[in-house]
Amino acid sequence: MSATTKYLLVSLPTSISPSNDREEAQDALRANVNDHGRVSPFSIPELKMGTLDALVQQADDLAKLGPACDGVVSKIAEALSSILGGDQDKIAQQKAVNDKPLDQYLQNFSWNRMKYRADRSLPELARMLQDEITGIDSDFKNKYNQYNQVKNALTALQRKQTGNLSTRSLASLVDPSVLVQSSEYLETHLLAVPNPLNKEFLKGYETVAPMVVPRSAFRLMADDEYTLYAVTSFKKHSLEFIHKCRERRWTPRDYKYVEGGREEEQKEMDRVGRDERKLWGEVLRMARTGWGDAVMVWIHVLALRVFVETVLRYGLPLEYVCGLVKTTPKLSKKAKQSLDKAYSYLGGNAFGKDSKGRATNDDSALPEMSGAIADSSDYTAYVYYEFELE
């Protein structure tokens, strides 16, 4: 789905149609959206209702759960993008809900009666959805963190193999015969010297600290940034020598020859590489299923919010139609304006018209329904939600 797609969920009483007929009400909604979007019926089953106070409380709870679901969907989508290197075509292939493309799932939404039985109370359904989104978030986060740890370990190993001479592993580069080993008094230091400082180094290394062996500097190799030298000094002054080298930006390399070290490094690289590839496949599969499951939970939460607010707004008997409008961010504003113009009367005294005939709201006349209805700046005369999925 394009990132420019926006969805609106709209619930209206069937009384918007003179005949109070559902089909005619749905046609009226479609007509008022006009060319600003495509309207599909959005079917919500008749759920068990409690008291008015319970419904208001449920509306408050669902208002918090909705953004939490949105957050989980967004986090998994970001991870999916990272896993696939931002390749939009590959990302789109992974995004499906209940084995259907996202748009098809939304346009043909059907309440999952197997998972969320309609004979359960609203609080029970909300708890089930809360537990499910929490589980999805926790499971994916654990797997993704595991993958990132191994990926970072592999990156560090690769950096050791491919970095410059101040950072890369020396196990495969240094011939042990150039090192003074098993001496009671002497030791060899390996120094990575920035190439512009080579002359300064060769001129001054013997005098930066006491008891540096004269003419012991031996050039081992060089890259585009550094030259690696071996220098011998007496052990009793080694710490001072290393300190003075750091002051002059000659980087001491901590290296001790270990027989078979080169082979062990390669084995470690191969092992971590295998682990990274295995976890990449696992986290990709979990991202695919987790994103789809999280979207499904979120849409069911939105359906619950629409149902609860519909009961609070329009009362009983429950006669309403709900439509899903597929549009764009730009056209959604025009669709909203058209709906406001057609249905502002549903807000009673809360809405009037300005000198140009546009709907306006009177904050003092808004219903007092706590969190069941958004704050006055977002208040609409009818049940309305909007969301985007990327």
Side-chain angles (χ1 to χ4, degrees):
M1 184 193 73
S2 169
T4 58
T5 302
K6 191 166 190 173
Y7 292 97
L8 316 177
L9 263 179
V10 181
S11 169
L12 295 162
T14 54
S15 61
I16 63 170
S17 162
S19 64
N20 212 42
D21 180 73
R22 285 179 179 272
E23 290 298 325
E24 288 187 14
Q26 193 73 247
D27 290 341
L29 169 58
R30 194 173 287 112
N32 280 300
V33 170
N34 201 359
D35 296 329
H36 306 318
R38 189 179 74 191
V39 181
S40 302
F42 191 85
S43 178
I44 304 174
E46 189 165 334
L47 302 168
K48 292 178 67 175
M49 291 173 279
T51 64
L52 177 61
D53 286 345
L55 284 171
V56 171
Q57 180 60 53
Q58 201 60 55
D60 279 339
D61 295 341
L62 290 169
K64 299 171 186 174
L65 181 55
C69 294
D70 183 7
V72 174
V73 171
S74 297
K75 281 192 291 185
I76 297 178
E78 289 173 7
L80 192 56
S81 178
S82 175
I83 294 164
L84 295 174
D87 189 318
Q88 293 302 315
D89 291 335
K90 291 182 179 178
I91 294 168
Q93 291 172 8
Q94 301 299 321
K95 289 186 173 181
V97 185
N98 208 19
D99 296 324
K100 298 175 184 175
L102 173 63
D103 191 58
Q104 182 183 340
Y105 173 78
L106 292 173
Q107 297 286 337
N108 299 279
F109 175 75
S110 176
W111 184 271
N112 191 329
R113 294 174 183 271
M114 295 291 291
K115 291 186 74 172
Y116 316 115
R117 283 169 34 197
D119 62 349
R120 292 181 179 273
S121 68
L122 291 175
E124 284 182 289
L125 291 172
R127 278 195 296 272
M128 290 173 63
L129 293 165
Q130 171 76 66
D131 291 345
E132 189 168 357
I133 199 67
T134 301
I136 293 168
D137 185 34
S138 177
D139 291 345
F140 180 75
K141 188 185 297 182
N142 290 338
K143 179 61 70 174
Y144 191 49
N145 286 342
Q146 184 184 1
Y147 166 71
N148 278 327
Q149 288 173 2
V150 174
K151 181 184 176 183
N152 291 338
L154 179 62
T155 300
L157 289 172
Q158 290 171 335
R159 191 180 297 117
K160 285 184 177 180
Q161 297 296 323
T162 59
N164 60 46
L165 288 170
S166 71
T167 58
R168 70 179 297 181
S169 170
L170 301 179
S172 61
L173 302 178
V174 176
D175 185 341
S177 65
V178 305
L179 305 175
V180 175
Q181 301 183 70
S182 304
S183 170
E184 185 178 352
Y185 301 105
L186 300 174
E187 68 177 325
T188 302
H189 307 283
L190 299 181
L191 302 170
V193 178
N195 288 335
L197 302 181
N198 276 331
K199 288 184 180 180
E200 175 191 312
F201 168 77
L202 292 172
K203 185 178 179 180
Y205 78 90
E206 295 177 358
T207 58
V208 295
M211 303 188 77
V212 177
V213 177
R215 300 181 185 179
S216 64
F218 180 74
R219 182 182 182 278
L220 299 177
M221 65 198 67
D223 60 24
D224 292 339
E225 299 176 66
Y226 290 87
T227 300
L228 187 68
Y229 291 94
V231 176
T232 303
S233 76
F234 279 76
K235 289 182 178 180
K236 64 185 295 184
H237 293 287
S238 287
L239 291 178
E240 183 181 355
F241 176 72
I242 290 172
H243 176 69
K244 294 295 184 181
C245 287
R246 286 201 177 98
E247 287 182 347
R248 289 163 172 74
R249 294 190 295 132
W250 309 337
T251 305
R253 295 302 315 276
D254 187 14
Y255 173 74
K256 182 174 290 187
Y257 172 72
V258 177
E259 188 173 354
R262 181 187 310 180
E263 292 76 13
E264 285 301 316
E265 277 192 1
Q266 189 58 51
K267 285 181 182 179
E268 178 71 2
M269 173 84 79
D270 293 343
R271 182 188 66 78
V272 176
R274 287 193 300 271
D275 290 346
E276 191 271 344
R277 289 189 295 274
K278 178 175 177 289
L279 282 168
W280 183 89
E282 292 177 1
V283 79
L284 177 61
R285 286 190 294 273
M286 185 168 280
R288 182 173 60 241
T289 57
W291 186 86
D293 290 347
V295 169
M296 185 168 66
V297 172
W298 187 21
I299 300 305
H300 279 76
V301 169
L302 283 170
L304 277 185
R305 294 188 72 184
V306 169
F307 179 82
V308 170
E309 191 172 335
T310 296
V311 177
L312 292 171
R313 293 287 193 110
Y314 309 141
L316 300 174
L318 199 57
E319 296 177 344
Y320 73 104
V321 290
C322 184
L324 177 79
V325 183
K326 180 185 179 183
T327 182
T328 65
K330 183 177 180 179
L331 288 177
S332 68
K333 296 177 182 178
K334 295 181 179 179
K336 178 71 163 49
Q337 289 170 358
S338 180
L339 291 169
D340 285 345
K341 183 178 179 181
Y343 303 119
S344 62
Y345 70 90
L346 293 172
N349 293 332
F351 278 78
K353 292 186 177 180
D354 62 16
S355 59
K356 295 183 180 181
R358 295 173 300 194
T360 60
N361 63 314
D362 176 7
D363 291 355
S364 64
L366 291 177
E368 296 179 1
M369 289 191 182
S370 180
I373 299 172
D375 62 74
S376 61
S377 62
D378 296 326
Y379 181 78
T380 57
Y382 48 90
V383 179
Y384 173 91
Y385 291 104
E386 58 183 43
F387 62 95
E388 294 182 47
L389 278 167
E390 299 180 5

